[in-house]
mmCIF file with all atom_site columns, all heavy atoms in Angstrom:
data_model
loop_
_atom_site.group_PDB
_atom_site.id
_atom_site.type_symbol
_atom_site.label_atom_id
_atom_site.label_alt_id
_atom_site.label_comp_id
_atom_site.label_asym_id
_atom_site.label_entity_id
_atom_site.label_seq_id
_atom_site.pdbx_PDB_ins_code
_atom_site.Cartn_x
_atom_site.Cartn_y
_atom_site.Cartn_z
_atom_site.occupancy
_atom_site.B_iso_or_equiv
_atom_site.pdbx_formal_charge
_atom_site.auth_seq_id
_atom_site.auth_comp_id
_atom_site.auth_asym_id
_atom_site.auth_atom_id
_atom_site.pdbx_PDB_model_num
ATOM 1  N N   . LYS A 1 15 ? 130.899 107.352 111.844 1.00 98.00 ? 15 LYS A N   1
ATOM 2  C CA  . LYS A 1 15 ? 132.013 107.223 110.890 1.00 98.00 ? 15 LYS A CA  1
ATOM 3  C C   . LYS A 1 15 ? 133.314 107.801 111.462 1.00 98.00 ? 15 LYS A C   1
ATOM 4  O O   . LYS A 1 15 ? 134.108 108.419 110.750 1.00 98.00 ? 15 LYS A O   1
ATOM 5  C CB  . LYS A 1 15 ? 131.668 107.853 109.542 1.00 98.00 ? 15 LYS A CB  1
ATOM 6  C CG  . LYS A 1 15 ? 130.524 107.154 108.841 1.00 98.00 ? 15 LYS A CG  1
ATOM 7  C CD  . LYS A 1 15 ? 130.265 107.751 107.486 1.00 98.00 ? 15 LYS A CD  1
ATOM 8  C CE  . LYS A 1 15 ? 129.318 106.978 106.647 1.00 98.00 ? 15 LYS A CE  1
ATOM 9  N NZ  . LYS A 1 15 ? 128.031 106.676 107.075 1.00 98.00 ? 15 LYS A NZ  1
ATOM 10 N N   . TRP A 1 16 ? 133.493 107.601 112.773 1.00 98.00 ? 16 TRP A N   1
ATOM 11 C CA  . TRP A 1 16 ? 134.710 108.052 113.451 1.00 98.00 ? 16 TRP A CA  1
ATOM 12 C C   . TRP A 1 16 ? 135.660 106.874 113.604 1.00 98.00 ? 16 TRP A C   1
ATOM 13 O O   . TRP A 1 16 ? 135.229 105.760 113.909 1.00 98.00 ? 16 TRP A O   1
ATOM 14 C CB  . TRP A 1 16 ? 134.399 108.580 114.850 1.00 98.00 ? 16 TRP A CB  1
ATOM 15 C CG  . TRP A 1 16 ? 133.606 109.839 114.896 1.00 98.00 ? 16 TRP A CG  1
ATOM 16 C CD1 . TRP A 1 16 ? 133.459 110.771 113.917 1.00 98.00 ? 16 TRP A CD1 1
ATOM 17 C CD2 . TRP A 1 16 ? 132.841 110.310 116.009 1.00 98.00 ? 16 TRP A CD2 1
ATOM 18 N NE1 . TRP A 1 16 ? 132.649 111.795 114.348 1.00 98.00 ? 16 TRP A NE1 1
ATOM 19 C CE2 . TRP A 1 16 ? 132.258 111.532 115.629 1.00 98.00 ? 16 TRP A CE2 1
ATOM 20 C CE3 . TRP A 1 16 ? 132.593 109.821 117.284 1.00 98.00 ? 16 TRP A CE3 1
ATOM 21 C CZ2 . TRP A 1 16 ? 131.454 112.279 116.481 1.00 98.00 ? 16 TRP A CZ2 1
ATOM 22 C CZ3 . TRP A 1 16 ? 131.790 110.555 118.129 1.00 98.00 ? 16 TRP A CZ3 1
ATOM 23 C CH2 . TRP A 1 16 ? 131.237 111.776 117.735 1.00 98.00 ? 16 TRP A CH2 1
ATOM 24 N N   . SER A 1 17 ? 136.930 107.138 113.411 1.00 98.00 ? 17 SER A N   1
ATOM 25 C CA  . SER A 1 17 ? 137.940 106.133 113.718 1.00 98.00 ? 17 SER A CA  1
ATOM 26 C C   . SER A 1 17 ? 138.170 106.128 115.227 1.00 98.00 ? 17 SER A C   1
ATOM 27 O O   . SER A 1 17 ? 137.718 107.032 115.945 1.00 98.00 ? 17 SER A O   1
ATOM 28 C CB  . SER A 1 17 ? 139.251 106.464 112.997 1.00 98.00 ? 17 SER A CB  1
ATOM 29 O OG  . SER A 1 17 ? 139.816 107.651 113.541 1.00 98.00 ? 17 SER A OG  1
ATOM 30 N N   . GLN A 1 18 ? 138.880 105.130 115.703 1.00 98.00 ? 18 GLN A N   1
ATOM 31 C CA  . GLN A 1 18 ? 139.243 105.108 117.118 1.00 98.00 ? 18 GLN A CA  1
ATOM 32 C C   . GLN A 1 18 ? 140.083 106.342 117.451 1.00 98.00 ? 18 GLN A C   1
ATOM 33 O O   . GLN A 1 18 ? 139.929 106.937 118.517 1.00 98.00 ? 18 GLN A O   1
ATOM 34 C CB  . GLN A 1 18 ? 140.014 103.842 117.466 1.00 98.00 ? 18 GLN A CB  1
ATOM 35 C CG  . GLN A 1 18 ? 139.150 102.602 117.437 1.00 98.00 ? 18 GLN A CG  1
ATOM 36 C CD  . GLN A 1 18 ? 139.924 101.336 117.711 1.00 98.00 ? 18 GLN A CD  1
ATOM 37 O OE1 . GLN A 1 18 ? 141.131 101.273 117.539 1.00 98.00 ? 18 GLN A OE1 1
ATOM 38 N NE2 . GLN A 1 18 ? 139.202 100.295 118.126 1.00 98.00 ? 18 GLN A NE2 1
ATOM 39 N N   . GLU A 1 19 ? 140.928 106.731 116.528 1.00 98.00 ? 19 GLU A N   1
ATOM 40 C CA  . GLU A 1 19 ? 141.753 107.917 116.749 1.00 98.00 ? 19 GLU A CA  1
ATOM 41 C C   . GLU A 1 19 ? 140.902 109.184 116.822 1.00 98.00 ? 19 GLU A C   1
ATOM 42 O O   . GLU A 1 19 ? 141.136 110.054 117.674 1.00 98.00 ? 19 GLU A O   1
ATOM 43 C CB  . GLU A 1 19 ? 142.803 108.060 115.647 1.00 98.00 ? 19 GLU A CB  1
ATOM 44 C CG  . GLU A 1 19 ? 143.788 109.158 115.929 1.00 98.00 ? 19 GLU A CG  1
ATOM 45 C CD  . GLU A 1 19 ? 144.987 109.138 114.991 1.00 98.00 ? 19 GLU A CD  1
ATOM 46 O OE1 . GLU A 1 19 ? 145.197 108.143 114.291 1.00 98.00 ? 19 GLU A OE1 1
ATOM 47 O OE2 . GLU A 1 19 ? 145.715 110.144 114.994 1.00 98.00 ? 19 GLU A OE2 1
ATOM 48 N N   . ASP A 1 20 ? 139.900 109.299 115.953 1.00 98.00 ? 20 ASP A N   1
ATOM 49 C CA  . ASP A 1 20 ? 138.995 110.464 115.989 1.00 98.00 ? 20 ASP A CA  1
ATOM 50 C C   . ASP A 1 20 ? 138.331 110.592 117.356 1.00 98.00 ? 20 ASP A C   1
ATOM 51 O O   . ASP A 1 20 ? 138.306 111.674 117.951 1.00 98.00 ? 20 ASP A O   1
ATOM 52 C CB  . ASP A 1 20 ? 137.892 110.345 114.925 1.00 98.00 ? 20 ASP A CB  1
ATOM 53 C CG  . ASP A 1 20 ? 138.398 110.408 113.496 1.00 98.00 ? 20 ASP A CG  1
ATOM 54 O OD1 . ASP A 1 20 ? 139.472 110.997 113.250 1.00 98.00 ? 20 ASP A OD1 1
ATOM 55 O OD2 . ASP A 1 20 ? 137.700 109.850 112.617 1.00 98.00 ? 20 ASP A OD2 1
ATOM 56 N N   . LEU A 1 21 ? 137.772 109.488 117.836 1.00 98.00 ? 21 LEU A N   1
ATOM 57 C CA  . LEU A 1 21 ? 137.093 109.516 119.129 1.00 98.00 ? 21 LEU A CA  1
ATOM 58 C C   . LEU A 1 21 ? 138.086 109.781 120.250 1.00 98.00 ? 21 LEU A C   1
ATOM 59 O O   . LEU A 1 21 ? 137.809 110.577 121.149 1.00 98.00 ? 21 LEU A O   1
ATOM 60 C CB  . LEU A 1 21 ? 136.347 108.199 119.376 1.00 98.00 ? 21 LEU A CB  1
ATOM 61 C CG  . LEU A 1 21 ? 135.574 108.109 120.687 1.00 98.00 ? 21 LEU A CG  1
ATOM 62 C CD1 . LEU A 1 21 ? 134.566 109.252 120.826 1.00 98.00 ? 21 LEU A CD1 1
ATOM 63 C CD2 . LEU A 1 21 ? 134.882 106.753 120.796 1.00 98.00 ? 21 LEU A CD2 1
#
Side-chain angles (χ1 to χ4, degrees):
K15 296 183 170 57
W16 292 339
S17 68
Q18 290 177 338
E19 188 169 346
D20 294 335
L21 181 56

